[in-house]
């Protein structure tokens, strides 16, 4: 009897297990009894999308009395022999010899039915939704991608860096920030009450991080290549399908990388991860392509196989203006590219991933490197079909005098960022990096319409359950 077998192991080695006794454990997806006296139990253990068909004789004395309790959602153990399946849709099945019930699920109240549930409904039962095909598949892809991201950077000499979750700097003023305080809101010294912060935990204003980039720069200028992969918080009061209040961000930062090196890294990164999904998540990808987004597989193949187009922001604006396309937001040099513009470029104009570089200085944060034209900075966005912008990055300003000018221009306090300025006073060096929202990536590789399905426990305005 081989114990501790995952159903994925059985399906992955069909020949090897046929005729052998095994023990499997999982949750019942469905059960149906045939007139011929056989009960068919679909058992899923989360190791893969497919469920294992368990074949149980209704009159088998070993478990006859138990079968009525084998309801949808119940947790069970089955011992039996693997056999070739005569049924359609599966190569093998399990002939049950012994069944044990770990935990019954009452069919009168178990919320997951065989039918398809809406994602809105499933969010309300976030403790049970991982047992659905879609959330199970997303969760496996998410985990596989996390591993692949660490592997990608490790193979290229990048050190994994843990940047603080609580910070005292409002980095780039990206969206709204969450304040961290131990003071009761009614305390006379509570933030907003017009008093000093001396009674508060950090004795000054503190926030949840919106980005680990500035701290990553510190370590890039010592270790050479680093990356962060951690939680990030933005109190964006927008209810969009692309924004979460808590999300995970990946931010590589490399010394001696110029914008071109940075673009190469971002391109390799996206190609590598798209290939991981194609090669290592084939079953889940097929599911998403069949049930969520028909173009998904071909989008990923395009990312892996096509060279990326690289154009300047100025060229992009020109292309958009000449396209004759009607956009909701006007296209004008100096305006930010909106999702509709980004998608038009990558889906219609070039039909492949696009890197857009050299954005107007006025659009971008103070730390981006000013180009010789004085009007643009060495920024880069990577656009992909179906999503638009997936990565944003830049070469950072390493020249002390230019950085100070930029800070003045953008109203950034030099006192608050003393340490950032000192990095330009003591052994400054060219360096670059980018940021990628992990859930945007998960959305891109699964075709999910809403980012709330791309994270186990979504936090959005009005929602922080579970
Ligand atoms: P957007 O314009 O979509 O709000 P942004 O310009 O605020 O993005 P950056 O500050 O460049 O984004 O952050 C880097 C990456 O983090 C983005 O490219 C995106 O993938 C991701 N990201 C940003 N905000 C969120 C959010 N609220 N929820 C999930 N991912 C996000
Ligand atoms: Mn934003």
């Amino acid at each position: 009897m081989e114990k501790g077998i995952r159903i994925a192991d059985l399906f992955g080695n069909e020949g090897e297990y046929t005729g052998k006794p095994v023990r499997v454990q999982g949750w019942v997806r469905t059960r149906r009894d045939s007139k011929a006296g056989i009960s068919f139990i679909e058992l899923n253990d989360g190791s893969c999308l497919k469920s294992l068909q368990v074949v149980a004789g209704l009159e088998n004395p070993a478990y006859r009395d138990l079968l009525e309790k084998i309801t949808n959602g119940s947790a069970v153990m089955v011992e039996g022999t693997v056999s070739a399946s005569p049924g359609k849709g599966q190569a093998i099945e399990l002939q049950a010899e012994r069944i044990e019930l770990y935990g019954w699920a009452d069919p009168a109240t178990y919320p997951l039915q065989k039918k398809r549930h809406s994602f809105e409904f499933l969010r309300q039962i976030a403790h049970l939704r991982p047992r659905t095909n879609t959330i199970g598949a997303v969760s496996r892809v998410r985990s596989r991608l996390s591993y692949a991201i660490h592997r990608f950077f490790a193979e290229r000499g990048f050190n994994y860096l843990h940047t603080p979750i609580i910070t005292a700097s409002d980095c780039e003023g990206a969206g709204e920030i969450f304040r961290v305080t131990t003071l009761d809101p009614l305390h006379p010294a509570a933030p907003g009450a017009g008093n000093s912060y001396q009674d508060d935990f950090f004795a000054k204003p503190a926030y949840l991080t919106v980005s680990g980039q500035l701290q990553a720069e510190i370590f890039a200028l010592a270790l050479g290549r680093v990356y962060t992969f951690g939680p990030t918080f933005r109190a964006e009061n927008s209810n969009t399908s692309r924004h979460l209040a808590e999300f995970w961000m990946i931010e590589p930062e490399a010394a001696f990388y110029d914008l071109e090196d940075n673009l190469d890294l971002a391109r390799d990164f996206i190609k590598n991860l798209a290939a991981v999904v194609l090669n290592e998540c084939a079953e889940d990808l097929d599911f998403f392509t069949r049930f969520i987004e028909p173009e998904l597989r071909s989008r990923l193949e395009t990312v892996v196989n096509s060279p990326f187009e690289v154009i300047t922001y100025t060229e992009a604006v020109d292309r958009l203006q000449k396209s004759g396309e009607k956009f909701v937001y006007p296209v004008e040099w100096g305006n930010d590219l909106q999702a509709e513009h980004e998608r038009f470029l990558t889906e219609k104009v070039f039909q492949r991933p696009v890197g857009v570089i050299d954005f107007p200085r006025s659009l971008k944060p103070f730390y981006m490197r000013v180009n010789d034209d004085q009007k643009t900075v060495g920024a880069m966005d990577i656009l992909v079909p179906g999503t638009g912008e997936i990565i944003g990055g830049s070469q950072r300003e390493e020249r002390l005098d230019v950085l100070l000018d930029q800070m003045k221009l953008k109203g950034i306090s030099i006192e608050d960022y003393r340490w950032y300025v000192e990095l330009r006073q003591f052994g400054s060096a060219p360096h670059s990096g980018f940021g990628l929202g992990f859930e945007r990536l998960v959305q891109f590789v699964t075709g999910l319409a809403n980012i709330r399905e791309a994270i186990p426990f979504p936090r959005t305005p009005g929602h922080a359950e579970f």
Side-chain angles (χ1 to χ4, degrees):
M1 175 69 48
E2 194 160 347
K3 294 186 202 168
I5 294 265
R6 294 151 62 248
I7 290 172
D9 299 331
L10 295 181
F11 284 122
N13 307 279
E14 282 154 358
E16 195 185 315
Y17 283 102
T18 310
K20 300 228 172 94
V22 297
R23 164 187 291 182
V24 293
Q25 293 147 301
W27 292 267
V28 174
R29 280 291 171 86
T30 60
R31 188 189 125 207
R32 112 191 120 77
D33 296 343
S34 80
K35 291 204 186 71
I38 295 173
S39 191
F40 296 99
I41 302 163
E42 295 295 323
L43 193 68
N44 191 286
D45 69 357
S47 63
C48 61
L49 186 79
K50 271 205 290 287
S51 298
L52 179 66
Q53 173 161 285
V54 173
V55 182
L58 284 168
E59 291 310 323
N60 189 323
Y63 45 69
R64 186 176 49 207
D65 300 337
L66 198 68
L67 277 179
E68 67 173 278
K69 289 231 145 185
I70 307 296
T71 52
N72 295 2
S74 298
V76 298
M77 181 277 279
V78 182
E79 287 176 0
T81 306
V82 178
S83 66
S85 174
K88 268 202 301 212
Q90 75 252 341
I92 50 167
E93 58 190 22
L94 187 67
Q95 305 292 334
E97 282 139 30
R98 204 165 83 79
I99 300 179
E100 201 176 296
L101 177 69
Y102 293 131
W104 181 60
D106 185 348
T109 48
Y110 186 58
L112 289 174
Q113 306 296 321
K114 174 75 181 154
K115 65 170 182 138
R116 260 223 233 183
H117 294 288
S118 75
F119 288 132
E120 290 76 13
F121 170 72
L122 291 177
R123 274 177 226 140
Q124 294 162 25
I125 51 164
H127 56 308
L128 295 171
R129 73 173 188 164
R131 297 189 197 173
T132 62
N133 281 337
T134 305
I135 301 300
V138 179
S139 308
R140 282 185 297 272
V141 169
R142 198 180 150 101
S143 172
R144 178 54 73 141
L145 277 178
S146 302
Y147 171 64
I149 286 165
H150 288 300
R151 184 174 63 193
F152 175 89
F153 286 120
E155 282 170 354
R156 286 161 183 78
F158 281 74
N159 293 285
Y160 181 26
L161 174 70
H162 300 108
T163 48
I165 288 170
I166 299 173
T167 79
S169 57
D170 164 19
C171 186
E172 41 199 293
E176 299 291 314
I177 45 178
F178 287 102
R179 192 182 284 282
V180 175
T181 176
T182 49
L183 293 182
D184 188 286
L186 303 175
H187 186 281
N195 290 291
S196 76
Y197 287 90
Q198 65 198 16
D199 292 344
D200 207 350
F201 191 90
F202 296 107
K204 60 171 160 177
Y207 311 96
L208 291 180
T209 184
V210 295
S211 161
Q213 179 203 314
L214 301 188
Q215 290 96 343
E217 285 186 52
I218 296 176
F219 276 79
L221 292 173
L223 299 188
R225 296 178 199 173
V226 296
Y227 71 102
T228 71
F229 187 172
T232 307
F233 306 86
R234 295 188 187 178
E236 326 230 23
N237 214 351
S238 53
N239 263 302
T240 77
S241 58
R242 296 151 48 89
H243 291 92
L244 292 162
E246 175 180 300
F247 62 101
W248 287 63
M249 188 129 80
I250 298 129
E251 297 181 284
E253 190 72 37
F256 318 117
Y257 268 42
D258 63 14
L259 193 66
E260 203 180 319
D261 301 322
N262 203 21
L263 259 172
D264 288 345
L265 182 70
R267 187 193 51 221
D268 291 352
F269 184 62
I270 289 296
K271 279 182 180 287
N272 186 288
L273 296 176
V276 163
V277 176
L278 283 164
N279 300 330
E280 299 175 32
C281 309
E283 186 190 31
D284 291 324
L285 175 61
D286 284 345
F287 171 81
F288 290 121
T289 307
R290 257 183 84 194
F291 294 105
I292 305 284
E293 171 55 64
E295 288 183 25
L296 184 60
R297 174 173 279 277
S298 69
R299 269 184 206 156
L300 295 181
E301 283 167 350
T302 306
V303 168
V304 172
N305 299 324
S306 331
F308 282 27
E309 190 73 33
V310 178
I311 56 170
T312 64
Y313 165 88
T314 305
E315 285 162 1
V317 167
D318 194 48
R319 288 281 196 145
L320 291 167
Q321 283 173 339
K322 289 190 176 138
S323 70
E325 184 79 7
K326 290 258 175 299
F327 295 110
V328 178
Y329 293 91
V331 181
E332 248 177 83
W333 203 98
N335 288 2
D336 213 352
L337 298 179
Q338 302 293 326
E340 55 169 345
H341 308 135
E342 294 167 353
R343 293 191 56 173
F344 188 80
L345 286 169
T346 172
E347 290 167 20
K348 299 280 159 39
V349 179
F350 296 109
Q351 299 174 4
R352 60 170 83 157
V354 181
V356 184
I357 57 170
D358 298 339
F359 282 73
R361 196 170 166 176
S362 58
L363 287 181
K364 295 291 183 184
F366 73 96
Y367 52 72
M368 294 195 179
R369 192 177 194 280
V370 178
N371 287 328
D372 290 344
D373 64 14
Q374 300 298 318
K375 287 194 310 204
T376 61
V377 288
M380 61 163 215
D381 282 0
I382 306 279
L383 319 177
V384 291
T387 298
E389 179 189 332
I390 193 160
I391 282 180
S394 68
Q395 182 166 350
R396 321 304 189 188
E397 185 55 74
E398 84 283 16
R399 298 161 297 185
L400 179 64
D401 53 334
V402 185
L403 181 70
L404 291 173
D405 280 352
Q406 277 279 84
M407 292 176 80
K408 250 177 250 149
L409 203 69
K410 305 258 176 198
I412 307 283
S413 155
I414 290 166
E415 230 9 82
D416 289 354
Y417 288 89
R418 183 90 257 151
W419 53 273
Y420 193 77
V421 171
E422 281 192 11
L423 291 174
R424 277 72 184 168
Q425 287 172 321
F426 307 129
S428 188
H431 62 287
S432 303
F434 61 79
L436 165 112
F438 187 45
E439 288 72 20
R440 294 267 177 96
L441 175 72
V442 172
Q443 237 188 321
F444 171 61
V445 302
T446 57
L448 286 165
N450 199 311
I451 198 165
R452 292 165 205 206
E453 273 64 70
I455 190 165
F457 301 100
R459 271 84 181 89
T460 54
H463 295 281
E465 294 89 4
F466 305 97

